[in-house]
């Protein structure tokens, strides 16, 4: 149902029916009042809201010359402020860049904006320390947080293939993440070293002498200490292998389950998502056989890190690091490159590949088949779309990217724990897709970036802000915001589904599906149906 | 709700069992053999564990009925239902200790207190569930099918966090009031009152539910709405009110489950609802979702399986694997027999 109609059913006039002029005046007035009120809570927040109101108002002007001139005036004004007072210069540059991006003619936007975003992301480790602090959210995220965000964006883009394109609700995406992570862990650690004690008849746990690895296998791995034992395959191969094994796993799960109806499928995937972490948790001693697959709750650690080896490293003059963990004495533009930075850039490359594949898939024959299934399964089948095969491909491709992301993240953290794979993570990734806009890759990227930032960094700083800035008389809240992480997901999911089911940045096609609905208007909601029928 | 079971003709029942049926029967036989061996080896343990299983099953049955009622009428898997159950446990503790001053060692006065708490908790949970329906699911009646499902997950998270904010992150301890004296004992097997109490609460609630659905006007409206909403609306049934009423009943049942759980296990935690809700949902699916007797049967089976798995000594996987076993059952049932044990085959489910 259209939220508009819902308000009307409660006797509140529909927002969208007001004249555009009136609406914008109400918005402007409300924002200015809000800015004044917020100014007393936190000065910078008040300024930020005021700036937002001004920008919204200015956007109505024609691009050239009025709007450009107005934006230039704002930037110059802030630059003067920065010169004479404490306004940070980074804010001036940031606004100038944002206004510049907004002024790009539509003709070039298709490539200019993504290119600008990529450049800004790649340069991030160089300038993030000099950035201004945001009101409420505090400082910009640091580089490790950036890696985390990129990994989760990657997973959200992968899940978007399943949920957004094909319309299959997957509540156990964390199972794919876990599969990728454990694949990386098995083949890039000493997990299967098969340690034995040199003293005959003594178990490894009670061994006083250093244990001797029985198995050892090395294939292109870098930075492995001699005598470690276990399987050590190059992490680059493992990223691919993690993806392939996870995709295979997705097919194995998918084949029997994909013929089920949507909500049953959701439950089955949820079931897999619950079973897998338990297997990981109990996998250190399968039913008392002593076979240690996952090392149980202690997890597998440490893991090898990626690298290019000394040969390639020397060949490129040290540009490609031999080993990510022991890397980079280089100093670029006054910034000492750290191993986190290299992981960050690698994550960007992986994300770009994911986004490229996902983007191209969308318009491929397969992608169009997915969308057809999403919109009407019966009609798609009648048109000759093979349902099972198409859905399985959606599952496998979604799983592939989840697996790659999982493998990369395991290598970055150098560990894998069963505790990382809770149901919450599945919902968390789903929430990113829903918030951004199911089916629209740009929306998903924005939604995932924001939520993963909030998850590791933003919630803590926001909680601090609330605790320090909000008080009534003598009462101060003391909220541990990290505790209420899942509340944020819950509120976002419910709010988005009720008021903007197509997400913040929807694809036009998906929005139409949500608003036109897939059922007929129910007879029994006669009051509401009547109002909606009048046409909004 | 209570779907008329279409009786399949005797001939179709006699046809050769399919491969999956044979495999399923083999599996059941395998479990049977395992149980019999355990029974012979340690009979007292076996009965003890079975009694615990039935107590678990009662809790699951009450929660599973809520899932099945809501699914029957809206075809919605109400993920928030398990959390309403958790709220039931929390409200039980708050009402019984703060309002009625229930504490350990009070004697016979606990009976009226427990009954009053039961009624109050059921009313509260019913009201909460109906409110959730009004705000979160009703606006989505004509939305795509997955929209209310996703919303339900969000609601579940919200309830969990509200409970976290109100009752805190630790286990909330309930007064330990149920007597542990024996009802009867045979050999070395004892059956205590605190286990019987679950049955004592569950059975009247179930009978009341059956009466409500079979014999009252409102129950008839529920059954009609479950069959065909538009046709019911044409017959003058207020469909929205009927759906609200169904959520009210489901919530009340979850509240009853909550009081049993908190009195028997004497502690509740804010995040226990979701997990237990999923187990109860499995029970509903096992019995045949939408089918009321099926939900009870499935719940008792799941309760027994859990009890046996955690309590028996001879070659049982143990409590580490309970969830995996339950979810494996869920997956197998959904894949091979989506209609469940008693439910009828739906065209979409197969």
């Amino acid at each position: 149902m259209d939220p508009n109609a819902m308000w009307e059913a409660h006797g509140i006039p529909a927002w969208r029916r007001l004249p555009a002029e009136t609406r914008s005046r109400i918005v402007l007035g409300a924002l200015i009042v809000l800015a004044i009120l917020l100014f007393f809570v936190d000065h910078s927040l008040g300024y930020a809201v005021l700036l937002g109101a001004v920008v919204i108002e200015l956007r109505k002007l024609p691009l050239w010359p009025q709007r450009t001139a107005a934006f230039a005036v704002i930037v110059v004004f802030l630059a003067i402020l920065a010169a004479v007072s404490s306004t940070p210069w980074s804010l001036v540059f940031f606004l100038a860049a944002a206004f510049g991006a907004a002024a790009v003619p539509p003709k070039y936007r298709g490539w200019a904006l993504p290119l600008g975003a990529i450049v800004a992301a790649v340069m991030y480790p160089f300038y993030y320390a000099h950035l201004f602090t945001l009101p409420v959210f505090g400082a910009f995220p640091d580089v490790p947080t950036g890696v985390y965000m990129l990994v989760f964006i990657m997973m959200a883009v992968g899940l978007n293939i399943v949920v957004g394109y094909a319309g299959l609700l997957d509540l156990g995406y964390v199972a794919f993440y876990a599969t990728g992570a454990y694949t990386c862990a098995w083949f890039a650690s000493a997990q299967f070293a098969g340690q034995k004690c040199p003293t005959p008849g003594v178990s490894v746990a009670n061994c006083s002498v250093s244990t001797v690895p029985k198995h050892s296998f090395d294939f292109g791995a870098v930075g492995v200490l001699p005598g470690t034992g276990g399987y050590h395959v190059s992490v680059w191969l493992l990223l691919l292998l993690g993806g392939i094994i996870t995709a295979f796993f997705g097919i194995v799960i998918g084949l029997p389950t994909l013929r089920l109806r949507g909500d049953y499928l959701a439950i089955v995937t949820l079931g897999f998502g619950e079973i897998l972490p338990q297997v990981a948790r109990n996998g250190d001693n399968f039913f008392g056989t002593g076979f240690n697959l996952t090392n149980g709750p202690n997890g597998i650690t440490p893991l090898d890190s990626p690298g290019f080896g000394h040969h390639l490293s020397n060949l490129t003059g040290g540009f490609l690091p031999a080993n990510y963990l022991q890397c980079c004495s280089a100093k670029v533009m006054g910034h000492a490159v750290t191993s986190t930075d290299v992981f960050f850039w690698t994550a960007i490359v992986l994300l770009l590949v994911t986004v490229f594949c996902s983007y191209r898939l969308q318009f491929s024959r397969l992608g169009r088949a997915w969308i057809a299934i999403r919109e009407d399964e019966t009609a798609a089948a009648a048109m000759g779309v093979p349902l099972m095969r198409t859905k399985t491909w959606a599952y496998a491709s979604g799983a592939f990217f989840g697996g790659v992301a999982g493998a990369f993240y395991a290598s970055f953290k150098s560990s894998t724990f069963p505790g990382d794979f809770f149901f919450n993570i599945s919902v968390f990734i789903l929430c990113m897709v829903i918030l951004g806009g199911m089916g629209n890759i740009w929306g998903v990227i924005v939604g995932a970036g924001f939520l993963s930032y909030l998850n590791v960094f933003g919630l803590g700083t926001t909680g601090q802000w609330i605790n320090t800035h909000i008080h009534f008389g003598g009462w101060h809240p003391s909220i541990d915001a990290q505790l209420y992480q899942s509340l944020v997901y819950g509120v976002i999911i419910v709010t988005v589904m009720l008021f903007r089911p197509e997400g913040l940045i929807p694809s036009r096609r998906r929005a139409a599906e949500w608003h036109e609905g897939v059922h007929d208007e129910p007879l029994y909601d006669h009051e509401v149906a009547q109002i909606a029928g009048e046409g909004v | 709700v209570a779907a008329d079971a279409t009786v399949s003709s005797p001939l179709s029942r006699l046809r050769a069992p399919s491969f999956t049926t044979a495999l399923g029967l083999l599996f059941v036989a395998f479990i049977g053999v395992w149980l019999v061996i355990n029974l012979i080896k340690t009979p007292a343990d076996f009965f003890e564990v079975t009694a615990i299983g039935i107590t678990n099953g009662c809790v699951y049955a009450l929660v599973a009925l809520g899932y099945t009622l809501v699914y029957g009428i809206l075809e919605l898997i109400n993920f928030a239902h398990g959390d309403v159950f958790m709220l039931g446990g929390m409200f039980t503790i708050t009402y019984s200790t703060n309002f009625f001053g229930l504490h350990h060692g009070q004697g016979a006065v606990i009976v009226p207190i427990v009954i009053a708490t039961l009624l109050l908790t059921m009313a509260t949970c019913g009201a909460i569930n109906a409110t959730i329906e009004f705000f979160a699911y009703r606006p989505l009646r004509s939305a795509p099918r997955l929209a209310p499902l996703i919303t339900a997950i969000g609601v579940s998270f919200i309830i969990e966090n509200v409970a976290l904010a109100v009752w805190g992150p630790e286990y909330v301890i309930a007064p330990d009031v149920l007597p542990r004296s024996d009802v009867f004992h045979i050999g070395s097997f004892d059956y205590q009152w605190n286990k019987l109490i679950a049955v004592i609460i569950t059975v009247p609630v179930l009978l009341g539910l059956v009466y409500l659905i079979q014999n009252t006007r409102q129950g008839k409206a529920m059954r009609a709405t479950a069959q065909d909403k538009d046709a019911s609306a044409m017959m003058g049934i207020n469909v929205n009110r009927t759906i609200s009423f169904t959520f009210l009943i489901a919530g009340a049942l979850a509240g009853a489950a909550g009081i049993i759980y908190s009195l028997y296990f004497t502690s509740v935690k804010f995040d226990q609802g979701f997990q237990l809700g999923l187990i109860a949902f499995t029970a509903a699916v096992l019995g045949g979702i939408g089918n009321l007797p099926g939900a009870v049967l499935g719940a008792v089976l799941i309760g027994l399986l859990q009890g046996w798995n955690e309590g028996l000594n001879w070659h049982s996987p143990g409590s580490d694997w309970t969830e995996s076993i339950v979810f494996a059952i869920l997956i197998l049932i959904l894949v091979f027999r989506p209609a469940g044990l008693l439910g009828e085959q739906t065209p979409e489910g197969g």
Side-chain angles (χ1 to χ4, degrees):
Chain A
M1 188 178 81
D2 185 11
N4 245 6
M6 197 175 75
W7 295 127
E8 288 194 21
H10 289 99
I12 302 163
W15 174 246
R16 273 184 225 154
R17 247 194 252 168
L18 295 170
E21 192 70 11
T22 323
R23 279 188 296 178
S24 68
R25 268 192 213 140
I26 294 176
V27 168
L28 186 67
L31 278 177
I32 289 174
V33 172
L34 191 70
I36 294 169
L37 288 178
L38 288 175
F39 181 80
F40 292 109
V41 180
D42 181 352
H43 292 344
S44 58
L45 186 59
Y47 290 132
V49 173
L50 193 67
L51 185 68
V54 170
V55 170
I56 288 175
E57 203 51 31
L58 288 179
R59 280 188 60 188
K60 291 189 202 115
L61 295 173
L63 176 65
W64 188 260
Q66 290 97 322
R67 203 200 309 174
T68 316
F71 284 166
V73 168
I74 293 178
V75 171
V76 170
F77 172 69
L78 280 170
I80 294 168
L81 267 187
V84 298
S85 81
S86 62
T87 307
W89 277 104
S90 56
L91 178 66
V92 180
F93 291 130
F94 180 84
L95 281 179
F99 290 152
V104 174
K107 205 171 143 192
Y108 306 109
R109 274 196 193 165
W111 58 268
L113 294 189
L115 192 71
I118 291 169
V119 170
V122 169
M123 301 303 284
Y124 190 72
F126 295 110
Y127 64 75
Y128 86 93
H130 309 292
L131 282 176
F132 55 97
T133 51
L134 292 164
V136 184
F137 293 116
F140 276 82
D142 52 6
V143 179
T145 312
V147 179
Y148 176 89
M149 287 165 66
L150 288 169
V151 167
F152 271 83
I153 293 174
M154 220 172 126
M155 283 195 252
V157 171
L159 181 65
N160 182 44
I161 294 177
V162 185
V163 178
Y165 294 170
L168 307 164
L169 184 56
D170 185 345
L171 294 177
Y173 198 68
V174 75
F176 298 150
Y177 168 35
T179 313
Y182 272 102
T183 306
C184 183
W186 288 326
F187 299 111
S189 74
Q191 171 64 10
F192 293 129
Q195 309 275 10
K196 66 170 183 192
C197 195
T199 332
V202 179
S203 70
V204 176
N206 301 329
C207 192
S208 53
V209 201
S210 68
T211 50
V212 180
K214 249 192 326 197
H215 311 291
S216 120
F217 172 76
D218 201 313
F219 188 83
V222 291
V224 184
L225 294 174
T228 314
Y231 302 120
H232 294 277
V233 178
S234 163
V235 173
W236 302 116
L237 286 177
L238 284 180
L239 292 182
L240 199 62
L241 190 71
I244 291 170
I245 288 184
T246 313
F248 180 73
F249 181 62
I251 293 175
V252 170
I253 294 183
L255 277 181
T257 55
L258 281 171
R259 65 196 176 90
L260 296 173
R261 214 175 43 194
D263 42 0
Y264 277 20
L265 176 69
I267 286 291
V268 169
T269 52
L270 172 62
F272 275 111
E274 293 280 319
I275 290 177
L276 217 73
Q278 197 166 40
V279 172
R281 205 156 47 241
N282 300 334
D284 49 349
N285 188 357
F286 268 110
F287 304 109
T289 54
F291 175 57
N292 182 354
L293 182 68
T294 62
N295 209 20
N298 299 326
I300 300 174
T301 186
L303 268 53
D304 302 343
S305 59
F308 296 93
H310 290 292
H311 184 66
L312 265 179
S313 182
N314 292 340
L315 215 67
T316 55
F319 175 72
L320 295 175
N323 176 5
Y324 275 29
L325 277 192
Q326 301 141 15
C327 115
C328 317
S329 45
K331 220 172 181 185
V332 185
M333 293 188 283
H335 168 81
V337 178
T338 64
S339 65
T340 326
D341 298 341
V342 202
F343 272 109
F344 182 78
W345 291 320
T346 315
I348 290 181
V349 172
L350 287 177
L351 177 64
L352 285 179
V353 173
T354 310
V355 169
F356 177 76
C357 293
S358 170
Y359 189 77
R360 296 294 299 171
L361 270 174
Q362 187 181 359
F363 302 111
S364 68
R365 191 185 169 80
L366 189 61
R368 282 176 280 134
W370 287 336
I371 293 169
I373 286 182
R374 178 183 81 199
E375 290 184 351
D376 192 331
E377 206 170 301
T378 319
M383 290 292 127
V385 174
L387 290 186
M388 275 305 290
R389 203 196 313 160
T390 315
K391 284 184 181 179
T392 312
W393 270 116
Y395 233 57
S397 347
F400 179 85
F401 294 119
V404 174
F408 176 76
Y409 195 50
S411 171
F412 170 63
K413 285 195 312 171
S414 189
S415 62
T416 310
F417 299 106
D420 294 342
F421 308 117
F422 279 131
F423 171 66
N424 281 14
I425 306 285
S426 295
V427 176
F428 176 44
I429 303 172
L430 181 68
C431 189
M432 296 171 177
V433 177
I434 291 172
L435 177 69
M438 283 183 241
N440 180 16
I441 193 163
W442 312 121
V444 169
I445 291 173
V446 173
F450 175 67
L451 277 182
S452 50
Y453 158 74
L454 212 57
N455 208 25
V456 273
F457 209 80
L459 264 184
T461 46
T462 312
Q464 264 171 20
W465 181 87
I466 292 173
N467 290 343
T468 49
H469 283 85
I470 293 185
H471 48 90
F472 299 104
W475 179 80
H476 280 267
S478 59
I479 299 169
D480 182 4
Q482 298 284 11
L483 206 59
Y484 296 97
Q485 230 174 37
S486 53
L487 180 68
V488 177
Y489 316 153
V491 170
I492 288 176
I493 290 178
V494 173
T495 321
V496 170
M497 290 319 283
L498 287 183
F499 297 106
R500 204 179 158 88
E502 68 272 28
L504 292 184
I505 311 175
S507 68
R508 211 168 294 160
R509 186 169 187 151
R510 195 79 211 249
E513 279 168 47
W514 285 103
H515 281 295
E516 285 160 19
V518 288
H519 306 309
D520 297 329
E521 206 66 55
L523 278 171
Y524 51 92
D525 265 346
H526 48 88
E527 239 180 347
V528 165
Q530 217 175 359
I531 293 161
E534 284 169 26
V536 176
Chain B
V1 174
D4 326 27
T6 38
V7 184
S8 51
S9 70
L11 270 180
S12 68
R13 281 177 184 238
L14 283 177
R15 63 163 185 236
S18 67
F19 178 68
T20 51
T21 318
L23 214 63
L25 288 175
L26 199 71
F27 186 63
V28 172
F30 182 71
I31 294 177
V33 171
W34 170 67
L35 286 176
V36 169
I37 293 178
N38 265 301
L39 173 63
I40 293 166
K41 277 181 177 276
T42 48
D45 275 8
F46 181 83
F47 287 117
E48 172 83 36
V49 164
T50 306
I52 294 175
I54 289 174
T55 308
N56 284 340
C58 285
V59 177
Y60 293 151
L62 290 171
V63 182
L65 279 171
Y67 276 106
T68 255
L69 278 170
V70 167
Y71 194 89
I73 209 157
L74 272 189
E75 304 216 319
L76 160 72
I77 300 167
N78 182 10
F79 275 108
H81 194 70
D83 296 287
V84 174
F85 153 77
M86 176 272 302
L87 284 184
M90 294 294 192
F91 278 117
T92 299
I93 296 171
T94 307
Y95 288 151
S96 63
T97 51
N98 292 8
F99 287 11
F100 302 122
L102 193 67
H103 57 84
H104 184 67
Q106 267 173 312
V109 75
I110 70 161
V111 175
I113 293 183
V114 167
I115 291 175
T117 313
L118 175 71
L119 295 178
L120 214 53
T121 308
M122 285 174 78
T124 315
C125 287
I128 290 174
N129 214 23
T131 314
I132 292 171
E133 192 274 331
F134 183 78
F135 284 110
Y137 306 146
R138 186 169 294 185
L140 294 172
R141 286 283 153 74
S142 61
R145 199 186 174 102
L146 290 179
L149 186 69
I150 297 172
T151 313
I153 298 173
V155 173
S156 159
F157 274 51
I158 293 176
I159 297 181
E160 227 170 76
N161 279 278
V162 169
L164 171 68
V166 176
W167 284 281
E170 301 301 323
Y171 278 94
V172 182
I173 305 299
D176 185 11
V177 291
L178 297 184
R180 291 220 164 67
S181 53
D182 289 354
V183 182
F184 61 84
H185 59 108
I186 303 164
S188 55
F189 162 61
D190 306 314
Y191 190 63
Q192 294 97 346
W193 276 104
N194 66 342
K195 283 177 198 136
L196 189 63
I197 218 93
V199 183
I200 293 176
I201 295 180
T202 307
V203 169
V205 170
L206 285 185
L207 290 179
L209 181 70
V210 170
Y211 175 80
L212 179 88
I213 287 172
Q214 299 292 345
N215 297 34
T216 63
R217 213 178 146 76
Q218 189 65 56
K220 207 181 211 174
M222 281 165 73
R223 281 179 289 150
T225 311
Q227 272 188 4
D228 190 327
K229 287 187 206 43
D230 288 343
S232 318
M234 285 182 214
M235 294 296 124
I237 294 173
N238 186 340
V239 173
N240 273 332
R241 205 182 64 198
T242 310
I243 293 174
S244 285
F245 184 75
T246 309
F247 271 84
L248 185 89
I249 296 297
L253 291 172
I259 186 171
I260 298 176
Y261 186 90
S262 62
L263 289 184
Y264 180 70
F265 292 99
T266 66
S267 67
V268 186
K269 201 177 161 198
F270 74 97
D271 62 354
Q272 273 177 327
F274 192 83
Q275 199 73 25
L276 196 138
L278 283 180
I279 294 176
F281 176 76
T282 307
V285 170
L286 179 63
I289 190 128
N291 181 325
L292 296 185
V296 178
L297 174 73
V300 173
L301 279 180
I302 293 279
L304 284 174
L305 273 178
Q306 185 188 355
W308 289 330
N309 171 49
E310 292 176 2
L312 293 181
N313 297 321
W314 186 76
H315 281 278
S316 71
S319 61
D320 281 353
W321 293 100
T322 300
E323 280 160 40
S324 294
I325 291 170
V326 171
F327 290 125
I329 292 174
L330 175 71
I331 293 169
L332 290 176
I333 287 283
L334 280 180
V335 170
F336 293 111
R337 199 181 156 84
L341 295 178
L342 299 184
E344 80 189 284
Q345 192 77 35
T346 54
E348 300 133 299

